């Protein structure tokens, strides 16, 4: 009998398919089309892909892993997706607070950038940003800045996924003196990273108000030549809309539509001051929206009509923006919580933007906003293995009735323990595996001194 039994077990082992990893936890939040939350669940990973997510007993029976990570006191979830940020600006964190966008930009950020931004600044700032994001459970970030090739190098070094937009702007900046120079550089940048496993290079004209119509059209044409996303700030403030209304008698969304800017993969950051007609345009062109609740609240920019956008099924993701003075951190747990609460308090309805909708924006809906829903945003067979493990053994996590509610309303970025991107562990037990944390923090302290001096 025991011989038959061991033969049976041997046959089972033979039948089990190989896997590189099995991660198991008390709950697995899949964000798959059924939005399954699996109690005592596991995920099997091979190479850069997910093989399967399901009950631990079933996954253990089907796969023979080379390595495993079992945490009965944790939640496994898809890596969080940041759809709008300027990571290198981490070095300006807290440099000027409590100002309106135009004052903050024109009196502090643009002058500070003119004096300090270089390729090295961008490298260290992005390393700091990636360190914060990865340790806080963000596995994909969408960036807009200067020297975006250096941002891409730093992201790859961190082992982080990035949709990284080279900024094109209508005045001389640190990396380029003219938009024509920036466009020529961006073409080379798109060529260099077009087939990268972690980086999606993008074209990022800063905004309608900071670029000529010709530059915007050229940006679109360039993006389409490479099938790359175009990223732009849109209707962030009422002033932006008022100025465009005074200039051309129309909204920024409509102006950009008439310029053909939405004809291709597009992501609009903020979209605070958009009306029904604007949203119809954005919907018809499948424009992704990056909602940035912390930034919109801190700069008093306004409240984006996210409840309406979701009713229209727009692809709305979340972004911390910042981190210089418009936030000032890169914490998607906070953005989920604030996105939900901001809609509730401004519509006077606690039913709007429930926890599931907030988590969708940070995962699968964010993936849609980036046009990457087939690759990331949920734990499903064949998708990239971008996975986080979040501890639920702290006072803020207990007791736990509903894993999704806990993710949005109770857990913190600092509760993230383990992070995998593209099948590769990048953080283990809340320690980064890919970057030199001590060196990055020491550099940040050095930059604080030189940046402070430059502003005196
Ligand atoms: Zn921004």
């Amino acid at each position: 009998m025991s011989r038959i039994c061991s033969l049976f077990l041997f046959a089972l082992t033979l039948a089990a398919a190989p896997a590189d990893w099995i991660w198991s936890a008390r709950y697995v939040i899949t964000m798959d089309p059924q939005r399954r939350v699996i109690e005592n669940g596991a995920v099997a990973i091979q190479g850069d892909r997910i093989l399967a997510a399901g009950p631990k007993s079933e996954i253990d029976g089907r796969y023979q892993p080379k390595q495993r990570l079992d945490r009965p006191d944790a939640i496994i979830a898809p890596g969080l997706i940041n759809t709008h940020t300027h990571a290198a600006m981490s070095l300006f964190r807290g440099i000027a607070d409590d100002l309106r966008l135009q004052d903050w930009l024109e009196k502090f950020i643009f002058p500070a950038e003119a004096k300090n931004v270089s390729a090295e600044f961008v490298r260290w700032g992005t390393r700091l940003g990636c360190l914060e994001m990865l340790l806080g459970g963000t596995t994909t970030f969408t960036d807009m800045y200067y020297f975006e090739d250096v941002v891409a190098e730093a992201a790859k070094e961190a082992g982080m996924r990035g949709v990284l937009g080279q900024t094109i702007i209508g005045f001389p900046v640190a990396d380029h003196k003219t938009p024509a120079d920036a466009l020529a550089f961006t073409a080379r940048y798109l060529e260099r990273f077009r087939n990268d496993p972690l980086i999606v290079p993008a074209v990022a004209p800063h905004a309608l108000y900071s670029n000529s119509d010709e530059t915007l059209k050229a940006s679109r044409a360039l993006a389409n030549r490479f099938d790359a996303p175009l990223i732009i700030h849109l209707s962030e403030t009422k002033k932006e809309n008022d100025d465009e209304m005074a200039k051309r008698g129309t909204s920024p969304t409509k102006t950009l539509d008439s310029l053909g800017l939405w004809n291709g993969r597009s992501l609009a950051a903020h979209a605070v001051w958009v009306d029904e007609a604007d949203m119809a345009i954005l919907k018809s062109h499948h424009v992704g929206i990056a909602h940035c609740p912390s930034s919109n609240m801190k700069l008093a920019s306004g409240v984006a009509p996210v409840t309406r956008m979701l009713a229209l099924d727009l692809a709305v993701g979340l972004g911390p923006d910042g981190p210089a003075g418009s936030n000032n951190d890169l914490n998607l747990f906070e953005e989920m919580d604030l996105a939900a609460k901001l809609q509730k308090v401004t519509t006077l309805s606690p039913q709007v933007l429930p926890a599931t909708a907030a988590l969708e924006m940070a995962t699968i809906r964010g993936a849609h906003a980036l046009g990457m829903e087939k690759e990331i945003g949920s734990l499903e067979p064949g998708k990239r293995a971008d996975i986080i493990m979040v501890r639920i053994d702290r006072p803020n996590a207990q007791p736990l009735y509903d894993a999704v509610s806990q993710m949005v309303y109770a857990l913190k970025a600092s509760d993230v323990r383990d992070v995998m991107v593209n099948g590769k562990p990048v953080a283990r037990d809340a320690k980064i595996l890919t970057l030199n944390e001590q060196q990055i923090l020491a550099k940040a302290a050095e930059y604080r001194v030189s940046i402070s001096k430059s502003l005196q």
Side-chain angles (χ1 to χ4, degrees):
M1 184 66 189
S2 74
R3 196 164 166 186
I4 293 168
C5 199
S6 55
L7 272 175
F8 177 68
L9 281 175
F10 181 65
L12 256 189
T13 314
L14 278 184
D20 289 329
W21 282 95
I22 285 180
W23 278 23
S24 77
R26 177 68 192 275
Y27 298 96
V28 174
I29 299 177
T30 63
M31 300 311 282
D32 67 7
Q34 296 78 40
R35 302 290 185 260
R36 281 185 307 154
V37 177
I38 303 158
E39 192 162 357
N40 297 316
V43 182
I45 298 121
Q46 172 87 320
D48 59 0
R49 304 278 169 177
I50 293 167
L51 290 170
K56 180 172 183 291
S57 54
E58 186 190 312
I59 296 293
D60 281 348
R62 281 171 60 193
Y63 298 100
Q64 184 70 37
K66 287 190 193 129
Q67 299 182 78
R68 58 184 308 139
L69 181 62
D70 300 295
R71 294 208 192 273
D73 54 0
I75 291 172
I76 289 174
L80 304 180
I81 297 172
N82 168 345
T83 58
H84 184 66
T85 205
H86 313 276
M89 291 178 82
S90 296
L91 291 173
F92 292 136
R93 190 192 314 274
I95 196 174
D97 289 321
D98 310 324
L99 296 162
R100 285 198 181 277
L101 176 71
Q102 288 310 321
D103 289 340
W104 174 72
L105 271 179
E106 287 161 18
K107 293 184 186 154
F108 291 91
I109 294 302
F110 289 154
E113 286 183 333
K115 287 176 184 154
N116 293 286
V117 174
S118 64
E120 273 315 279
F121 172 99
V122 169
R123 193 176 305 282
W124 286 104
T126 306
R127 281 174 175 155
L128 178 61
C130 287
L131 180 62
E132 181 185 356
M133 286 188 278
L134 285 174
L135 290 178
T138 300
T139 52
T140 297
F141 74 117
T142 309
D143 198 73
M144 286 176 85
Y145 211 56
Y146 310 108
F147 300 101
E148 204 68 27
D149 55 332
V150 176
V151 175
E153 288 169 5
K156 283 171 69 68
E157 181 188 316
M160 193 166 182
R161 196 178 302 288
V163 177
L164 308 178
Q166 167 65 36
T167 293
I168 293 158
I169 199 162
F171 53 85
V173 287
D175 57 351
H176 298 104
K177 297 301 155 219
T178 66
D181 286 349
L183 284 161
F185 167 79
T186 306
R188 296 195 297 277
Y189 162 69
L190 294 172
E191 185 65 49
R192 179 176 164 199
F193 289 99
R194 65 191 306 185
N195 293 315
D196 194 277
L198 285 176
I199 307 302
V200 176
V203 184
H206 174 265
L208 170 62
Y209 61 83
S210 52
N211 279 296
S212 70
D213 292 356
E214 292 66 36
T215 299
L216 291 166
K217 285 182 189 166
S219 298
R220 178 75 269 171
L222 178 60
N224 286 0
R225 184 144 68 84
F226 288 86
D227 190 30
L230 181 146
I231 309 173
I232 190 165
H233 292 103
L234 175 72
S235 289
E236 180 175 358
T237 61
K238 185 165 182 299
K239 181 180 186 313
E240 180 179 337
N241 276 39
D242 289 348
D243 288 353
E244 187 58 17
M245 192 54 77
K247 188 176 164 193
R248 287 189 256 216
T250 181
S251 73
T253 301
K254 291 196 192 90
T255 299
L256 291 168
D257 190 34
S258 69
L259 294 173
L261 194 95
W262 308 125
N263 296 335
R265 291 176 68 185
S266 309
L267 178 72
H270 299 292
V272 172
W273 295 89
V274 288
D275 62 16
E276 281 294 322
D278 294 333
M279 285 187 273
I281 290 170
L282 297 171
K283 167 91 180 164
S284 70
H285 290 279
H286 307 288
V287 177
I289 310 286
H291 174 47
C292 306
S294 287
S295 171
N296 297 161
M297 291 166 81
K298 187 156 184 266
L299 297 170
S301 299
V303 182
V306 174
T307 301
R308 182 67 187 142
M309 289 174 182
L310 295 181
L312 294 168
D313 199 26
L314 285 171
V316 191
L318 291 175
D321 198 9
S326 61
N327 190 327
N328 305 350
D329 58 13
L330 301 170
N331 179 347
L332 279 178
F333 282 83
E334 194 172 86
E335 301 305 323
M336 285 195 283
D337 183 70
L338 286 177
K341 290 173 181 168
L342 183 57
Q343 291 302 305
K344 292 173 196 304
V345 71
T346 49
T347 60
L348 299 181
S349 167
Q351 280 94 16
V352 303
L353 226 160
T356 305
L359 187 57
E360 284 171 354
M361 290 165 74
T363 56
I364 188 65
R365 198 177 281 274
H368 270 281
L370 300 177
M372 295 172 75
E373 69 278 5
K374 292 197 174 71
E375 291 287 309
I376 57 173
S378 61
L379 304 179
E380 294 180 77
K383 280 200 168 180
R384 303 276 187 165
D386 292 5
I387 308 172
I388 59 174
M389 184 92 88
V390 191
R391 63 192 301 172
I392 50 170
D393 60 347
R394 287 200 174 130
N396 61 303
Q398 289 296 325
L400 191 157
Y401 300 98
D402 179 323
V404 171
S405 159
Q406 219 78 334
M407 279 288 285
V408 174
Y409 297 129
L411 295 175
K412 311 290 169 203
S414 53
D415 293 323
V416 173
R417 273 188 89 163
D418 312 285
V419 182
M420 174 181 277
V421 181
N422 217 36
K424 187 168 171 249
V426 293
R428 180 79 185 256
D429 224 352
K431 292 275 175 296
I432 196 84
L433 301 173
T434 48
L435 296 168
N436 185 334
E437 177 165 1
Q438 290 314 108
Q439 190 189 24
I440 294 167
L441 296 180
K443 269 283 173 188
E446 276 177 36
Y447 270 104
R448 187 191 71 82
V449 174
S450 62
I451 291 167
S452 300
K453 269 192 199 143
S454 79
L455 295 178
Q456 278 163 11

